[in-house]
Amino acid sequence: MVVTDRLPNFQRVYDLPERVLNDEYLSRSVSRPDAQRELLQRAATALGIATLHDLADYFRMSPREAAPRIAELVENGDIHPVSVDSWKELAYLSSDARLPRQIGGASLLSPFDPVVWFRPRALRLFDFHYRIEIYVPASKRKWGYYVLPFRVGDQIVARVDLKADRQNRSLLVLAVHEEAHIEQGVCLDALASELHALKTWLNLDVVCVTKGNEFSKKLAAAM
């Protein structure tokens, strides 16, 4: 079965492969090692620089299966082994990697975004310890029910617990916490802008900030 659509309630619509895919794909045969190499090379291109575990996790492959395929990619010149200061593991750099002049923009990240999905990598790159607290009892939550990391440039600068109250046409900021050692002014202005953009995208009218700490009070003022 293959996915052909996703409904407004997030349910997936499935159909038979032969009714969706072209014959050239249905008749094509790819060996497991070839498929693994292709997936790992794509992971390396997406991640830029990554450890074996980073590359393996990108497409949910076991490190044991990934290791020989990564060695083959190194031998072919598709990726290169490198060392990174403070990283305990050997890293690999995609041969297509380019150093950007700058990393700009700002974005709220889904918990399933590749930037934060593999938690050891998020901790290693951004000193950002992350977990979703949906299954944590409310009294024991530190950050909130469904917290989204907020990125500005090449840093994760805050965590935001959001809820769309469609009945009252409001985007609720239930909690917001800044990370340590950030430029609050830049973070607040960028976050206010992103929240307004998200409100518009969700077809809501207002953003309501719960003033639970000093940072949230400043955010409310910035809105």
Side-chain angles (χ1 to χ4, degrees):
M1 302 295 286
V2 296
V3 177
T4 62
D5 196 7
R6 188 184 288 270
L7 303 179
N9 63 357
F10 301 108
Q11 287 185 334
R12 294 177 179 178
V13 178
Y14 295 90
D15 203 344
L16 297 173
E18 56 267 27
R19 299 202 307 197
V20 178
L21 302 176
N22 295 332
D23 288 340
E24 66 172 301
Y25 300 115
L26 286 173
S27 60
R28 185 179 178 186
S29 178
V30 180
S31 71
R32 186 177 183 86
D34 285 344
Q36 290 175 331
R37 274 191 297 272
E38 178 66 24
L39 291 175
L40 288 166
Q41 186 170 358
R42 293 188 181 198
T45 300
L47 295 174
I49 191 166
T51 67
L52 182 153
H53 287 81
D54 295 340
L55 293 170
D57 187 79
Y58 196 81
F59 284 108
R60 312 304 290 166
M61 196 181 305
S62 76
R64 178 177 295 180
E65 282 195 292
R69 305 289 84 83
I70 289 174
E72 292 160 2
L73 291 171
V74 170
E75 185 177 352
N76 292 338
D78 298 312
I79 60 176
H80 308 287
V82 295
S83 60
V84 181
D85 288 347
S86 79
W87 287 21
K88 296 180 180 179
E89 296 181 60
L90 179 68
Y92 298 92
L93 181 69
S94 168
S95 60
D96 297 326
R98 298 292 182 269
L99 181 64
R101 294 188 178 184
Q102 62 181 5
I103 298 175
S107 55
L108 288 160
L109 303 175
S110 158
F112 309 105
D113 191 290
V115 173
V116 292
W117 168 252
F118 190 49
R119 296 173 188 172
R121 179 176 172 84
L123 183 62
R124 197 183 326 116
L125 285 176
F126 304 106
D127 193 24
F128 184 74
H129 182 271
Y130 183 49
R131 72 170 178 171
I132 305 171
E133 296 182 315
I134 292 175
Y135 303 110
V136 177
S139 61
K140 296 183 178 180
R141 289 179 194 139
K142 183 176 181 179
W143 309 110
Y145 177 77
Y146 197 78
V147 170
L148 304 184
F150 181 58
R151 175 196 66 86
V152 176
D154 61 356
Q155 293 183 301
I156 296 176
V157 297
R159 306 165 193 249
V160 192
D161 187 16
L162 297 176
K163 181 178 180 179
D165 180 357
R166 298 191 179 277
Q167 183 174 355
N168 295 305
R169 301 188 59 79
S170 302
L171 177 62
L172 307 181
V173 182
L174 301 176
V176 59
H177 305 271
E178 81 274 29
E179 294 296 293
H181 312 301
I182 65 163
E183 294 184 37
Q184 279 201 4
V186 174
C187 174
L188 288 167
D189 290 343
L191 181 53
S193 178
E194 282 299 294
L195 290 172
H196 279 303
L198 181 59
K199 171 204 69 178
T200 301
W201 183 67
L202 293 172
N203 196 28
L204 302 174
D205 294 332
V206 295
V207 179
C208 300
V209 181
T210 299
K211 300 175 183 178
N213 56 27
E214 287 301 315
F215 190 68
S216 61
K217 293 175 184 178
K218 293 178 181 178
L219 176 63
M223 297 297 299

